Amino acid sequence: MPLFNDISKVWTKYGNQIVSGIWNTVLISIAGTLIGLIIGLFNGIIRTMPKPKNIILRAIMRVVNWIINAYVEVFRGTPMMVQAMIIYWGYAYLSGGDSLPLIPAGIAIVSINTGAYITEIVRGGIISIDRGQFEGAMSIGMSHFSTMLHIIIPQVMRNILPAVSNEFVVNIKDTSVLNVIGVTELYFYAQSAARNSYKIFASYLIACAIYFCLTFTITRILRFIEKKLEGRGNYTIFGSQSDSTAEIRVSEEEEPVNA
Amino acid sequence: MPEKVIEIKHLKKAFGDNDVLKDIDFSISKGETVSIIGSSGSGKSTLLRCVNLLETPTGGEILFHGENIQTELDVSQYRARVGMVFQSFNLFDNLNALQNCIIGQTTVLGRDKGAAKAKAMEYLEKVGMTPYINAKPRQLSGGQKQRVAIARALAMDPEVILFDEPTSALDPEMVGEVLSVMKRLSESGMTMMVVTHEMAFARDVSDRVVFMNDGYICEQGTPADVFGNPKREETKNFLSRFLNQ
């Protein structure tokens, strides 16, 4: 079949390039999602802080919140492709002709963009935790910071994992827009293979299959991690209520209660 | 006269235009168990939440051993000395029963892990929850959760424990297990402020009963006085409604 022929020709000639493109795509999307998650956690935690009593602190908080809001609105409200152009060429313009190193620039653009979305995801995750747990922590004197660290954030992380996984999958696909500034990711090489070999359909078919394999594998891995984080449904009972010397162990697997 | 632990003077609390606490004067002495009764909306829970500063009073003052809790004491350290047990348990869902009783000791009191664990085990045993130390809150029944919550409060070695309707969210058959823990606690000399709808507990266990109505303390006295010989009309109405249902 001519199509298979085309595919194998493209692969033989441009396979090495395409594989290096895969690595860059994976690198940029993993780093971008992780850094975006850190940005998002930071912003989400700040945005849900209780109002300080001190007037000066309150004013500072108001300014910080305004900045975070502006950041979220601007980066959620404009296309990443345009952001990439503006950051890359903006830097070149302002620095008088210097250009940003491409892979770090790509990671920065994806991180900033993802951070804007994850800020809102984290805020939602925090306010969805029942107010009672904050009060329980307050009632034994825990500070807002240690309540967040030990009680709230561990639960938030578990709850937002599906949404963050989603961002990760979106990032794998959306790194393709970084080709506009010349980042050598998967799409960049697929495009160059198509241009050089004139086998356009075959080249993009290869890219499509690889993108799908990447997102599918990563979805499965994250699903697995989610299951692990859910914890075991069972627990070990020590002793018995009537006989303090007895030790009973319950080990049969139960369905997780709030799966 | 035993030492007064908490003294409340002219306490007021309003939510917007809604005056919930109008003028509360109240004190509790060391070792005393006081039950606060009254119909819903009378301000009982708000009073308790003000004592722990979960609500900020809009007027008056609250003294802890003579010191103003808002101006003279560090909120965090004060709260560590005044435990609270909630209607909805408010356990930490990501931690098991044992960790729930340890976390406050290590983060607020700065105890080391070993000492905190020993203390937690001691109180979990007192409330009969030793077999379930590894269970997460979602794996426990309401009565069990509330007993863990009591152990969590006790593990901080508080001087006073505030109970905010501790049995109102429980199935009838679980009310007993929680009340019996509270009764033992009261007998052991713990200072307790209990907002409750359990009239039997108020009558049999407490040293003093406070009847609240419409943001004021309407009547207070020994259980025998308040239940046996109420003086105010509102108290009579409330009790007759409660005892006839």
Side-chain angles (χ1 to χ4, degrees):
Chain A
M1 215 175 133
L3 180 59
F4 287 127
N5 222 349
D6 284 357
I7 291 175
S8 95
K9 270 188 189 152
V10 169
W11 184 255
T12 326
K13 195 150 182 215
Y14 301 100
N16 284 342
Q17 280 191 348
I18 292 176
V19 168
S20 76
I22 296 175
W23 285 122
N24 284 342
T25 289
V26 170
L27 173 71
I28 294 170
S29 51
I30 288 181
T33 310
L34 285 179
I35 299 171
L37 178 61
I38 293 166
I39 296 174
L41 274 173
F42 184 77
N43 289 345
I45 289 169
I46 289 181
R47 281 183 77 174
T48 52
M49 272 194 337
K51 273 194 192 145
K53 291 222 170 81
N54 185 312
I55 288 180
I56 298 166
L57 283 180
R58 220 171 172 146
I60 294 173
M61 275 296 293
R62 196 169 280 176
V63 173
V64 171
N65 269 320
W66 188 89
I67 293 170
I68 293 174
N69 262 331
Y71 159 70
V72 170
E73 295 304 336
V74 168
F75 282 88
R76 281 203 312 184
T78 54
M80 193 159 83
M81 196 189 276
V82 178
Q83 293 163 16
M85 289 302 239
I86 286 183
I87 290 174
Y88 186 77
W89 293 109
Y91 180 85
Y93 179 80
L94 294 174
S95 69
D98 287 354
S99 55
L100 286 166
L102 285 172
I103 300 285
I107 291 174
I109 290 158
V110 175
S111 304
I112 295 171
N113 197 276
T114 309
Y117 283 92
I118 295 187
T119 297
E120 286 300 280
I121 294 173
V122 170
R123 196 174 69 91
I126 292 172
I127 58 181
S128 74
I129 302 277
D130 158 41
R131 184 81 211 135
Q133 292 193 54
F134 285 95
E135 291 193 345
M138 269 190 232
S139 78
I140 52 176
M142 286 174 74
S143 63
H144 182 74
F145 178 77
S146 58
T147 307
M148 278 305 202
L149 183 67
H150 298 286
I151 314 296
I152 307 301
I153 294 302
Q155 295 180 58
V156 168
M157 289 302 278
R158 216 202 88 185
N159 292 346
I160 67 172
L161 194 63
V164 173
S165 307
N166 202 25
E167 283 300 313
F168 189 11
V169 168
V170 167
N171 282 342
I172 289 175
K173 298 183 293 174
D174 282 5
T175 45
S176 60
V177 308
L178 296 174
N179 84 87
V180 296
I181 56 169
V183 177
T184 51
E185 40 66 57
L186 177 54
Y187 181 83
F188 181 89
Y189 282 127
Q191 198 178 34
S192 92
R195 280 181 186 156
N196 295 328
S197 67
Y198 298 110
K199 299 191 187 344
I200 299 169
F201 182 40
S203 301
Y204 286 116
L205 212 52
I206 291 174
C208 182
I210 294 171
Y211 275 119
F212 180 74
C213 288
L214 284 178
T215 53
F216 189 75
T217 325
I218 278 157
T219 314
R220 294 292 118 178
I221 293 172
L222 290 169
R223 213 29 88 63
F224 178 76
I225 296 174
E226 236 172 83
K227 272 242 163 78
K228 282 275 145 195
L229 279 183
E230 202 135 272
R232 286 144 50 101
N234 58 353
Y235 58 91
T236 311
I237 287 190
F238 291 107
S240 103
Q241 288 203 289
S242 48
D243 176 6
S244 56
T245 59
E247 188 174 90
I248 305 166
R249 287 181 181 274
V250 179
S251 58
E252 75 263 25
E253 203 69 41
E254 291 170 34
E255 282 295 304
V257 180
N258 58 356
Chain B
M1 189 69 194
E3 188 194 350
K4 277 179 184 160
V5 182
I6 291 173
E7 223 175 327
I8 297 171
K9 292 176 177 168
H10 303 294
L11 180 68
K12 291 182 185 66
K13 173 68 187 175
F15 295 99
D17 293 336
N18 183 13
D19 296 325
V20 179
L21 298 178
K22 289 168 185 165
D23 188 10
I24 301 283
D25 278 299
F26 172 87
S27 67
I28 185 165
S29 309
K30 202 168 168 49
E32 207 182 7
T33 298
V34 177
S35 291
I36 302 168
I37 61 172
S39 39
S40 300
S42 59
K44 315 181 292 289
S45 288
T46 306
L47 170 60
L48 217 56
R49 291 169 61 84
C50 281
V51 172
N52 206 4
L53 289 179
L54 288 177
E55 305 292 352
T56 311
T58 41
E61 55 179 10
I62 301 174
L63 306 177
F64 183 67
H65 292 297
E67 289 181 292
N68 187 310
I69 61 171
Q70 285 179 279
T71 55
E72 290 176 88
L73 292 173
D74 173 65
V75 180
S76 178
Q77 292 304 317
Y78 164 71
R79 280 181 180 146
R81 292 159 76 185
V82 178
M84 179 132 180
V85 174
F86 299 86
Q87 179 175 359
S88 48
F89 327 120
N90 294 357
L91 291 177
F92 308 132
D93 288 343
N94 60 323
L95 304 178
N96 66 26
L98 183 61
Q99 292 162 334
N100 259 282
C101 299
I102 290 177
I103 190 78
Q105 299 185 62
T106 52
T107 58
V108 181
L109 302 178
R111 287 186 183 146
D112 73 85
K113 274 247 161 75
K117 188 179 172 193
K119 183 74 86 181
M121 288 299 292
E122 178 191 335
Y123 286 112
L124 283 164
E125 193 185 347
K126 275 199 179 148
V127 298
M129 286 299 291
T130 316
Y132 303 98
I133 55 170
N134 285 326
K136 294 273 179 75
R138 65 182 159 95
Q139 296 163 321
L140 297 172
S141 73
Q144 291 172 329
K145 280 188 216 176
Q146 198 58 298
R147 286 187 283 152
V148 173
I150 294 173
R152 175 177 74 180
L154 285 170
M156 302 296 286
D157 290 321
E159 293 177 51
V160 187
I161 299 190
L162 314 171
F163 291 85
D164 188 8
E165 304 196 29
T167 56
S168 298
L170 299 178
D171 289 339
E173 70 256 43
M174 290 168 187
V175 170
E177 64 189 73
V178 171
L179 288 182
S180 73
V181 166
M182 290 167 61
K183 183 160 185 267
R184 265 183 285 143
L185 205 54
S186 165
E187 285 161 357
S188 75
M190 176 57 76
T191 311
M192 293 162 57
M193 256 176 101
V194 185
V195 167
T196 187
H197 289 294
E198 292 293 328
M199 294 303 144
F201 178 88
R203 190 184 57 217
D204 301 336
V205 179
S206 43
D207 302 304
R208 179 153 55 102
V209 176
V210 171
F211 172 68
M212 278 185 69
N213 188 46
D214 196 25
Y216 293 101
I217 289 180
C218 183
E219 181 165 358
Q220 59 176 316
T222 63
D225 284 343
V226 174
F227 285 102
N229 184 22
K231 292 183 183 60
R232 299 283 295 262
E233 213 44 52
E234 296 91 335
T235 320
K236 286 179 196 164
N237 284 337
F238 173 77
L239 288 174
S240 70
R241 255 187 298 140
F242 237 93
L243 303 175
N244 287 340
Q245 58 180 305

